[in-house]
Amino acid sequence: MSSCFVPNGASLEDCHSNLFCLADLTGIKWKRYVWQGPTSAPILFPVTEEDPILCSFSRCLKADVLSVWRRSQRPGRRELWLFWWGDDPNFAELIHHELTAEEDGVWESGLSYECRTLLFKAIHNLLERCLMNRSFVRVGKWFVKPYEKDEKPINKR
């Protein structure tokens, strides 16, 4: 199974909401942090509040840093990816001390398919949070705005 396997057989290039075709991303930068996790078997993950990846991810969301986390293919290992534009920010207060910066990059060096896919997921998560904060409701893969009783009808049909 390759790293760009997608369950529905589609690829990012085929996606109708492919933001890479719509936006100028030439100034984007990224950094990948890794948490190895326990090395002994069985692999036990800490409680959510103590989890270095989820704790750092939560701090990044609160600080409006475009981020995404995922499980690595190696057992017990997880990654936190951060994306930004412009000057390099100081992530020292956001990143848990148990995480190690393993890789970083800039647009000029090229974004791998894996990196582009994770950037797309981070942007999708940001859009989803924005819609949920504006009282939209998720129904399957769709977002709808519930009708409010006091709303003025737009069309009588």
Side-chain angles (χ1 to χ4, degrees):
M1 185 184 316
S2 71
S3 63
C4 37
F5 171 78
V6 181
N8 64 4
S11 72
L12 186 60
E13 285 76 16
D14 299 330
C15 185
H16 292 292
S17 58
N18 187 348
L19 296 172
F20 303 110
C21 295
L22 304 174
D24 178 22
L25 300 176
T26 55
I28 195 161
K29 298 176 184 179
W30 56 272
K31 187 173 282 243
R32 179 174 55 128
Y33 290 91
V34 176
W35 183 63
Q36 182 55 46
T39 55
S40 62
I43 298 171
L44 298 174
F45 292 104
V47 180
T48 306
E49 296 86 24
E50 300 169 359
D51 185 306
I53 290 286
L54 297 180
C55 180
S56 299
F57 178 66
S58 177
R59 289 180 197 157
C60 289
L61 291 180
K62 288 178 187 170
D64 292 328
V65 174
L66 194 57
S67 57
V68 66
W69 74 274
R70 71 172 183 170
R71 288 179 184 88
S72 179
Q73 293 176 349
R74 288 192 263 171
R77 185 178 162 119
R78 291 186 281 171
E79 303 171 345
L80 176 68
W81 292 66
L82 307 179
F83 301 93
W84 70 94
W85 287 264
D87 297 333
D88 292 355
N90 183 5
F91 295 126
E93 293 185 13
L94 301 177
I95 302 304
H96 194 278
H97 67 276
E98 290 183 37
L99 301 183
T100 55
E102 192 164 278
E103 189 177 2
D104 60 355
V106 294
W107 177 266
E108 289 79 21
S109 302
L111 266 68
S112 67
Y113 184 81
E114 173 187 43
C115 186
R116 286 182 287 145
T117 304
L118 291 167
L119 173 60
F120 183 82
K121 181 178 179 185
I123 292 170
H124 182 271
N125 290 342
L126 175 66
L127 293 172
E128 183 174 340
R129 281 194 316 276
C130 289
L131 288 171
M132 298 297 264
N133 288 337
R134 288 181 172 81
S135 302
F136 279 75
V137 176
R138 186 178 188 138
V139 180
K141 66 178 183 175
W142 304 100
F143 289 92
V144 295
K145 179 101 176 187
Y147 175 75
E148 295 180 14
K149 186 178 177 181
D150 299 332
E151 276 187 53
K152 184 178 178 182
I154 299 172
N155 191 348
K156 294 187 178 187
R157 293 185 203 169

